[in-house]
Amino acid sequence: MGENQYGKESVMENVLKHVIEKIDAASVQDYLDGYPYLSIPNIFPQDYYEELVSILKGIDDGVFHPLSKNYQRRDVYDLYCGENAMAPKQNFSNLKEGESAFLKNFQETFLIKNDFKMAFFRKYKNHMDFPDYDAALPTCRVQRDHRGYSIGPHRDRRDKLFSVMIYTPTIDKEELTEELKIDHGTDICILNHENPTTAPQLPGQVGHGADRHFTYDEVTIVKTAPSEPNSLFSWAVAEKSFHGVSPLKSDMVRSTLAYFVKIPKHLMPQHKLYGSSEFKTRK
């Protein structure tokens, strides 16, 4: 299907319908105490996914920028309103015409409309305690991670309600080995400290307190969500939702879409983490 087909409202409605049905049919995994997550294969219709990967693969490196001074090996390109949902809406003026048209339709369908966001709120209704869903805003970016990139195990700050990672490897199928899928995956971790707030401050950590990025020496990796093409890994930010990316060994770029739903920082105290004593199920 050509890129112009995805400018038709009826086509994008069918893409969205497919995605929402996949989320609705998925089961929240909560066998790890204080860590609810979802793993969903084939999140997009296959023809749409292939067009998406083709678009992502073609975006010029020059429009990306490093995530932060601590994470120079991760390059990002924003798809909506910036890291904290406060920037002007991305207009894709720095992309080629076909890329811009496709991603504007993606933005309208998955970021401006509320259907995608609300599907996760329904799914995590027993694992999320925050009173005002309307105050929660989506952010989304394309990520390119390079050899040596790593992010230490962390649970995410309270200004995130949930996180979504969509794996979009842009390398040839014959190069995407099982080993590479794990190298480019996301580690699900258990913190070895009894209390993340009072854990000692150690060299190699980023930040402070319970929401700091710990070192891999301080966790046990339970499993790794692999970088399977067209798959989704998501978690509700919770008391023990520790995850990270081990140092990438491959020279091949790790390609993902990252989607978060965030709240203003002044509302963070109203976000009660699943697994904590103050958590209550939303009625």
Side-chain angles (χ1 to χ4, degrees):
M1 185 178 289
E3 61 191 32
N4 291 336
Q5 292 293 320
Y6 295 111
K8 295 181 179 179
E9 186 175 355
S10 59
V11 174
M12 289 309 297
E13 285 177 352
N14 287 333
V15 172
L16 179 61
K17 181 174 182 287
H18 172 100
V19 171
I20 300 304
E21 287 177 350
K22 295 290 287 189
I23 298 170
D24 287 345
S27 298
V28 177
Q29 304 296 312
D30 55 5
Y31 64 91
L32 287 178
D33 183 37
Y35 197 153
Y37 69 88
L38 293 169
S39 292
I40 305 177
N42 303 313
I43 187 63
F44 294 117
Q46 187 61 28
D47 56 352
Y48 180 82
Y49 171 75
E50 290 175 1
E51 186 69 25
L52 171 64
V53 169
S54 176
I55 293 293
L56 298 182
K57 188 174 183 178
I59 297 176
D60 189 271
D61 288 337
V63 304
F64 286 75
H65 62 84
L67 176 62
S68 69
K69 64 180 181 180
N70 289 315
Y71 298 107
Q72 293 285 320
R73 304 296 295 163
R74 163 168 282 180
D75 292 330
V76 298
Y77 179 75
D78 182 62
L79 295 180
Y80 195 32
C81 293
E83 176 73 13
N84 294 305
M86 299 294 288
K89 186 177 72 173
Q90 175 68 267
N91 63 13
F92 306 107
S93 61
N94 53 359
L95 300 185
K96 296 186 282 289
E97 183 177 355
E99 297 166 349
S100 175
F102 184 94
L103 291 175
K104 280 180 180 177
N105 289 323
F106 178 95
Q107 183 189 78
E108 173 67 29
T109 302
F110 295 105
L111 304 176
I112 296 175
K113 292 181 178 178
N114 277 328
D115 305 67
F116 187 63
K117 179 181 81 170
M118 294 308 299
F120 287 99
F121 277 133
R122 290 194 301 272
K123 186 56 59 175
Y124 288 132
K125 65 181 180 180
N126 295 325
H127 305 91
M128 195 179 299
D129 182 0
F130 181 73
D132 185 6
Y133 288 171
D134 289 337
L137 301 173
T139 70
C140 190
R141 66 191 183 217
V142 182
Q143 301 182 149
R144 289 178 178 172
D145 301 331
H146 305 278
R147 183 185 179 97
Y149 170 78
S150 177
I151 187 165
H154 60 289
R155 68 183 187 187
D156 284 337
R157 296 185 313 201
R158 285 178 187 252
D159 64 342
K160 281 185 186 176
L161 297 183
F162 63 85
S163 299
V164 177
M165 195 68 59
I166 298 174
Y167 297 101
T168 56
T170 53
I171 59 179
D172 295 336
K173 290 181 180 179
E174 57 269 19
E175 296 180 304
L176 188 61
T177 63
E178 296 303 313
E179 181 180 7
L180 187 59
K181 290 177 184 178
I182 296 299
D183 185 40
H184 284 189
T186 303
D187 298 325
I188 300 172
C189 306
I190 294 175
L191 188 68
N192 296 334
H193 301 293
E194 184 173 344
N195 186 333
T197 302
T198 59
Q201 194 73 33
L202 299 175
Q205 295 176 354
V206 176
H208 300 85
D211 295 334
R212 80 191 92 164
H213 294 190
F214 291 87
T215 68
Y216 266 90
D217 291 337
E218 299 170 271
V219 300
T220 300
I221 299 176
V222 177
K223 64 181 292 187
T224 298
S227 179
E228 288 285 354
N230 201 14
S231 68
L232 177 151
F233 175 60
S234 169
W235 58 94
V237 176
E239 185 79 359
K240 298 181 180 179
S241 56
F242 289 95
H243 58 282
V245 178
S246 305
L248 300 184
K249 303 180 184 70
S250 173
D251 289 325
M252 298 179 184
V253 172
R254 178 182 188 257
S255 173
T256 53
L257 288 179
Y259 173 94
F260 312 115
V261 167
K262 304 189 75 171
I263 57 175
K265 287 184 169 51
H266 72 274
L267 296 181
M268 287 170 61
Q270 297 183 37
H271 181 200
K272 313 300 184 183
L273 297 184
Y274 177 75
S276 70
S277 59
E278 58 186 2
F279 176 87
K280 293 181 181 178
T281 302
R282 182 184 173 98
K283 295 181 180 179

